[in-house]
Every structure is written in C-alpha cells, then in structure tokens.
Amino acid sequence: MAPTAPKTGRFIETLDREGRLLAAAAEQAGTDAKVPTCPGWRVRDLLRHLGAVHRWAASYVREGRTEGRPIDDPPGLDGAELVDWYRESHRGLVDTLSGAAPDVVCFTFLPAPSPLEFWARRQAHETTVHRYDAQAALGGTPDPVEPDLAADGIDELLRGFHARSRSRVRTETPRTLRVRATDADAVWTVRLSSEPPVATRDDSGEADCELSGDAEELYLALWNRVPVPSVTGDRALAALWRERSAV
C-alpha cells in the first residue's frame, strides 16, 4: 500500500486530536449541558449528531460506497453510555481513514485531490468546529485553532460548500465580499449574485464589504460561532452571511 499523502495524514491527526478533546469536554460538561454556540442544543445532541456523521463518513471509505446515502439515526443513549458511543464512533473513523488505501474510490460531495483526502479534511473541520462547541458548553475559553488549519477551513467553506447550488448566500445585484485572514497571509474574494457564490484566492478588484481578522476568528465567525472580528464597507453583506450561510 502506498503511504498516505502528508496533507491527508495531517488532517487525520487533527481529527484524532479534536475528537479526543471533544469527548473529554462532553464528559466533563455532562450531556444535559447547553451548547451556547448551537442554540437549542445540549451536549447530547452534539454527540449524537457528530457520532452519526463519523459513522456515515467511515462507511463510504470502508465499504467503497460510490453513491450518497442518508445518515443513520443515532441510538437513544445518554450520559456516560453516549460519551462512550461517541468515542467508539470517532475511533472507528480515525482507524478507517488511517488504514484506507490512498487511492480508495468512494462518494464525495466537494472537489478534492482524492476521496480519502476529502473525507479526512471534511471530518477534521467538522470535528474541530464541534470541539469548539463542546468546550463552549464548559464555559471559559476553548482551545485555539491553528491559523493554517483555520485558513484551510475557510477555503473549504468558501470555495467548496458555497460553490454548490444549494448555497443561499445570494444577492439580487452583483456584490463583492472580501475575507482576509491577517495572520495566515490568506485572502478570498467572493462574488455574490443570484447564482451560487464564486470565491477565488486573491484580493483583486474593489470589494463592497471586507471581513478581516485572525484566521481562527474568521473560521469560527463564518461557521456562525462567534461575531465577525472586523467589518468594513457594507455591513449588510456581513448580515447576509450570518442569516443565510448555514450548510
């Protein structure tokens, strides 16, 4: 078997670390704790959701599934049993990705160099954002997100998720939104219209609105976990993102 690509390996390491941190925070907070960053959710909802997603993702890679399928309903567990079930779900995904052939063929829903890198990247970011949620349920300050990882997550969101036809971030007349990560040397220009957004890694042309700040702050803000650190220009575009960007 050929070795796993370095970038894929780093995503798997991130997934492993972030899932462990999430489980520890959930165990400490308790499954009935409210998750302030996910209104209406408690820690049990977070664990059930992410555990089911982990198992769903692992099934594509493990079984070579080439067509999409619904996520299975999680079991009706709670308390310590639910935390243990999440840990099993997470470990199963990490082990599946770590042991998969680099050229495995399976379903994906965003462009990627390979299906394995897609699932490693997607689950690394899914778990990082939800680790933040689990630690927020504890109060205090959650662990930081490294700038390079945060910048990659911004790129996945802008050039992956919101390039799809289902994105609701649209405007009646063409507008331009710029996103600038000040600590990661990364900038995106997002052209909005009645069609899906088109994002490029550059700062070409004039922008109607710019969102800027540290990569971590922007990453969490674009996933609607925290306020946007800095907005210049037409603040209505920042509000549009907050109102319509859920994926």
Side-chain angles (χ1 to χ4, degrees):
M1 180 184 296
T4 299
K7 198 168 185 180
T8 301
R10 289 195 295 272
F11 285 133
I12 295 172
E13 290 172 2
T14 297
L15 165 64
D16 189 9
R17 179 187 68 247
E18 297 292 312
R20 291 172 184 269
L21 290 171
L22 187 154
E27 187 171 51
Q28 186 176 350
T31 57
D32 196 47
K34 292 181 179 180
V35 182
T37 48
C38 298
W41 272 25
R42 295 182 185 267
V43 168
R44 66 172 60 89
D45 301 303
L46 183 62
L47 293 174
R48 289 169 180 169
H49 162 74
L50 191 56
V53 168
H54 285 341
R55 289 172 185 252
W56 172 76
S59 73
Y60 287 116
V61 177
R62 184 178 61 251
E63 301 167 21
R65 291 176 177 265
T66 57
E67 296 184 0
R69 68 177 188 86
I71 299 174
D72 292 335
D73 291 334
L77 301 173
D78 205 351
E81 289 184 332
L82 179 58
V83 176
D84 287 345
W85 175 82
Y86 171 74
R87 284 192 167 111
E88 291 172 3
S89 305
H90 171 251
R91 176 48 45 196
L93 174 61
V94 171
D95 289 347
T96 295
L97 295 176
S98 298
D103 59 353
V104 63
V105 176
C106 64
F107 170 81
T108 63
F109 57 86
L110 297 177
S114 71
L116 183 60
E117 184 170 314
F118 164 79
W119 283 111
R121 182 193 199 195
R122 175 82 290 278
Q123 290 300 291
H125 288 300
E126 179 87 4
T127 309
T128 298
V129 172
H130 285 315
R131 181 272 297 164
Y132 182 91
D133 295 330
Q135 291 184 332
L138 279 173
T141 303
D143 289 351
V145 180
E146 296 176 357
D148 287 350
L149 177 67
D152 181 81
I154 294 169
D155 196 75
E156 183 201 43
L157 185 61
L158 297 180
R159 297 205 296 162
F161 276 104
H162 284 286
R164 300 189 299 169
S165 60
R166 65 180 63 186
S167 175
R168 297 185 301 115
V169 183
R170 306 189 185 206
T171 55
E172 293 184 3
T173 58
R175 308 298 301 281
T176 301
L177 176 68
R178 183 153 292 134
V179 177
R180 189 182 303 275
T182 55
D183 63 339
D185 191 26
V187 59
W188 296 261
T189 298
V190 187
R191 291 174 174 84
L192 305 175
S193 69
S194 59
E195 299 298 318
V198 177
T200 53
R201 283 290 292 266
D202 58 47
D203 60 354
S204 61
E206 296 294 322
D208 298 294
C209 176
E210 180 168 310
L211 314 180
S212 62
D214 289 350
E216 177 189 26
E217 296 175 305
L218 287 173
Y219 178 58
L220 295 170
L222 291 171
W223 278 108
N224 292 318
R225 264 48 185 193
V226 301
V228 176
S230 176
V231 180
T232 56
D234 186 356
R235 301 184 71 87
L237 291 184
L240 176 75
W241 182 275
R242 185 174 60 252
E243 293 163 3
R244 299 189 185 177
S245 65
V247 297

